[in-house]
Amino acid sequence: MSRLFPALAPIHVAIPSIILFFTAFIAALIFNGFYLQYYSLAQLALFSWLLLALLHGYHRHHTIVITPLTIAVGLFLGFLGFSLIYHPVPYLGVMNLWWVGVFALIVAIYLLLPEADTSWRWNFTLLLLVVLGLALWGAAEQLIYGIAPDASFYNKNSLAALINLALFPLAAIYLAGDNKPIRYVSGPALLLFAFVLGIIASRGALLAFALGIAVLGLLLWHPAGRRRLAALTGWLAGGFVLSTLYIQLIGGSGRDIFSRMATLGDPETSGNPRFALWQPAWEMLQTQPFSGIGLGAFFLKLPASSSLEDKSAGYYVHNDYLQIATETGLPGLFFLLLVIGVLIWQFLRLVRRYRAKGVSDNTEPLQPASNGSTTISLSAYFEAVGLFSALLAFGLHSAFTYNFYVLPLMIVAGLYLARLDRLFARHSASSTWRFTWKPHFHPLSFYLVSFAIVLMAAGYFVTLALADHYHQKGNALAATGRLQQAHFAYERAQQLSPYMDNHFYADADLLLRSVAVLPEASPKRGDLLDYAADKLDTAAELNPYQAYTPYLQGRLQELRGAEPGRAISNYRQALQNNPRFLPARLALARAYQGQKQPEQAFAILQAGLDYPYHSLSRELLDYVQLTAEIATQTGHDDLATQLQQRLEQFRQAYAQQSTQQPRRPSQRY
């Protein structure tokens, strides 16, 4: 077949790579931080791609070209892996290792993959089409539904980051393209990207765009020519002008890009929401500057140290560099900055080689120069500038948001990083090291080791997905009152994933609910309580930061009829872990009520009033009602009146919320 159709042979070989990459990317878009089955599917696809690269590279005698960037990326991933040794919540560290470090996995795949050029061309083309579809989705959300343009993402800033990643390579293609059909298609696409960026109006994304477009224009000023740059400016400016006109038309005063950027003149006001997160993160870093609090553990540690001004959901620092430093310590930040520094150095080497060695106008495989390097084709230079501008914008934007913790964004960043690295490897032979598998490994041993490595990873991700499936099944069964079946589902999740605390405390909660409905004289009560106690002890060992576990331990003490001080101690521990955890605050206040200490109960309830709560729930209604009742009992009549008024407002809003239609699938979160 390859002899009959030689032009199609590289495509035929690259098809599995294309399928696996897009399986990973689409699964990552659906995962979006919530659905572990899709997280596992994305990682399984990437590790399958890694196995394909290993086996195909060995069979084809592929020469592995190692660059300084490859080494820096490997050091960063290696340090993240090493930090798991002392991670306080190991399962969380492992998940975030392949969440934050997924870009390193893609760099490794492209390092090992033969026919990487063909795979890259198809992956990038299809990626642009997907991003174009997401941009249209976001535009439709704003224009038709009048809601935030976030497409499949949890936050519209993530869509803005993805558009920036796609925009700059496409702009480079537009500037380089002598092919008129390509320019006719890419121009409107750039207009759409700019329009969606304008209606999102993220200040961080707009600053990142400004930096990226400045670098792109500066480096491509001479090779592209003024006419093409003027045409590119027209498409982008047109998109921003249209977004501004649209926002003015719908009466969105203060939401257009000019008004949003003007707020940067008052950093204290514009940055206050982030400052409320940066301050506790900085304090955590000062407390553990070298070990960090554990990769991915910020959202568990934040509630215990967050300020009353923090109105965020509390998952991320909104500064990826500070979050990496906080979670992995200063060594982790060092290795991350090393990757960035080496990337800039390699790119500048490419720019100098382009300017010093001249340009090859063809796009065929290039011939070595006298020092073993090659001259750079004009198309390769444009491509490198577009990719670097995108990564530079991505890096700047990450200083104001959480791009490093959004899986599809890191997959795209890894793809770009890998492509830039391969361009450097091709054109800078003097700064690389070459290696081939076959002289050093017997075929059988190589295949066995390759399969063993990938199957170990696959086993982890398959069991993670199955455990999450059974956990969700247990939740659904428990919600319908089928407690015994729910218990069996939770136990299956514990067997599959014995290192995750949520399966254990969910099962313990179920057991405590079962005990609560049993008669006092039932002999089963003691056995169930002992069983629940064992599960809670396991959960506490697996995750010492969780608030739900000590809360359930307090409930357990009450059901056992233990001395009240023990339950009170557990509830206080839960509130120390998370002061906004209303079930523990309610339980602690009721425990003091039972001890005839209404002033203590009121103090506990009053201490929670100043915290912002992010959802209107039954617990919040119960909390406001109980606080109003105890305020009346303790003589705080003015506060009780205010709380009763607030309670009526909450009840009306809660009733309206309960009757509303479910949110569209793009906004399940």
Side-chain angles (χ1 to χ4, degrees), residues 21-100:
F21 172 77
F22 269 89
T23 299
F25 183 63
I26 299 301
L29 285 172
I30 301 172
F31 159 57
N32 212 358
F34 291 87
Y35 305 107
L36 286 182
Q37 297 97 324
Y38 291 100
Y39 167 82
S40 299
L41 177 59
Q43 299 294 351
L44 281 170
L46 291 175
F47 273 93
S48 299
W49 193 15
L50 175 65
L51 179 62
L52 175 70
L54 283 166
L55 300 183
H56 191 49
Y58 185 86
H59 177 69
R60 294 289 301 273
H61 302 271
H62 175 60
T63 299
I64 299 168
V65 183
I66 301 172
T67 67
L69 181 61
T70 308
I71 295 172
V73 168
L75 288 172
F76 177 70
L77 185 64
F79 178 78
L80 293 186
F82 174 76
S83 70
L84 299 179
I85 296 173
Y86 48 86
H87 199 294
V89 190
Y91 84 85
L92 199 60
V94 174
M95 284 183 58
N96 279 269
L97 170 67
W98 299 114
W99 190 335
V100 176

Side-chain angles (χ1 to χ4, degrees), residues 150 221 251 279 289 311 347 376 380 402:
D150 50 19
W221 177 266
Q279 180 63 34
K311 296 178 174 59
F347 175 72
I376 300 179
Y402 49 89

Side-chain angles (χ1 to χ4, degrees), residues 47-377:
F47 273 93
S48 299
W49 193 15
L50 175 65
L51 179 62
L52 175 70
L54 283 166
L55 300 183
H56 191 49
Y58 185 86
H59 177 69
R60 294 289 301 273
H61 302 271
H62 175 60
T63 299
I64 299 168
V65 183
I66 301 172
T67 67
L69 181 61
T70 308
I71 295 172
V73 168
L75 288 172
F76 177 70
L77 185 64
F79 178 78
L80 293 186
F82 174 76
S83 70
L84 299 179
I85 296 173
Y86 48 86
H87 199 294
V89 190
Y91 84 85
L92 199 60
V94 174
M95 284 183 58
N96 279 269
L97 170 67
W98 299 114
W99 190 335
V100 176
V102 69
F103 78 95
L105 180 60
I106 296 176
V107 170
I109 291 169
Y110 268 87
L111 173 70
L112 302 169
L113 185 69
E115 290 90 22
D117 284 357
T118 305
S119 173
W120 155 255
R121 285 194 295 271
W122 282 90
N123 283 340
F124 178 68
T125 301
L126 295 175
L127 174 66
L128 281 180
L129 293 176
V130 172
V131 179
L132 187 62
L134 291 172
L136 285 169
W137 186 352
E141 285 180 315
Q142 178 66 62
L143 298 174
I144 299 174
Y145 297 101
I147 59 176
D150 50 19
S152 66
F153 289 100
Y154 177 71
N155 187 295
K156 64 181 182 180
N157 288 325
S158 299
L159 177 61
L162 183 62
I163 287 175
N164 267 337
L165 281 171
L167 186 150
F168 293 106
L170 183 60
I173 291 172
Y174 179 86
L175 292 174
D178 293 322
N179 190 321
K180 288 188 177 181
I182 292 179
R183 296 186 65 193
Y184 290 153
V185 171
S186 57
L190 290 165
L191 177 77
L192 174 65
F193 287 161
F195 174 76
V196 177
L197 279 178
I199 60 177
I200 291 174
S202 163
R203 289 167 297 194
L206 291 171
L207 284 173
F209 169 82
L211 175 64
I213 206 68
V215 171
L216 186 83
L218 181 66
L219 294 176
L220 297 183
W221 177 266
H222 289 294
R226 294 182 181 180
R227 289 186 61 186
R228 288 185 183 176
L229 282 169
L232 173 65
T233 303
W235 284 113
L236 295 175
F240 287 121
V241 169
L242 286 175
S243 69
T244 303
L245 292 175
Y246 167 76
I247 291 172
Q248 295 297 328
L249 182 65
I250 63 173
S253 178
R255 288 171 43 202
D256 61 276
I257 58 174
F258 302 106
S259 300
R260 292 280 292 163
M261 297 304 288
T263 62
L264 295 176
D266 183 9
E268 185 175 352
T269 302
S270 61
N272 186 59
R274 288 175 173 80
F275 297 158
L277 290 165
W278 294 355
Q279 180 63 34
W282 176 249
E283 291 171 358
M284 293 179 204
L285 176 60
Q286 290 178 310
T287 303
Q288 296 176 269
F290 296 106
S291 64
I293 62 173
L295 183 62
F298 175 76
F299 80 98
L300 288 172
K301 289 280 287 182
L302 176 65
S305 57
S306 62
S307 65
L308 297 176
E309 291 77 19
D310 175 24
K311 296 178 174 59
S312 73
Y315 288 103
Y316 306 106
V317 178
H318 286 257
N319 180 323
D320 284 333
Y321 305 100
L322 179 56
Q323 183 155 355
I324 289 292
T326 300
E327 293 182 345
T328 65
L330 295 176
L333 178 63
F334 168 78
F335 286 114
L336 175 62
L337 295 178
L338 179 66
V339 171
I340 296 171
V342 173
L343 169 65
I344 294 172
W345 175 79
Q346 286 193 176
F347 175 72
L348 292 177
R349 287 285 301 270
L350 282 175
V351 172
R352 285 198 296 268
R353 187 168 299 281
Y354 162 77
R355 291 178 175 175
K357 297 291 184 181
V359 182
S360 170
D361 290 327
N362 63 72
T363 56
E364 299 299 320
L366 302 172
Q367 299 301 318
S370 58
N371 64 351
S373 300
T374 60
T375 56
I376 300 179
S377 70

Side-chain angles (χ1 to χ4, degrees), residues 44 47 98 449-463:
L44 281 170
F47 273 93
W98 299 114
V449 171
S450 299
F451 273 101
I453 293 172
V454 174
L455 287 176
M456 285 175 59
Y460 166 74
F461 292 117
V462 168
T463 55

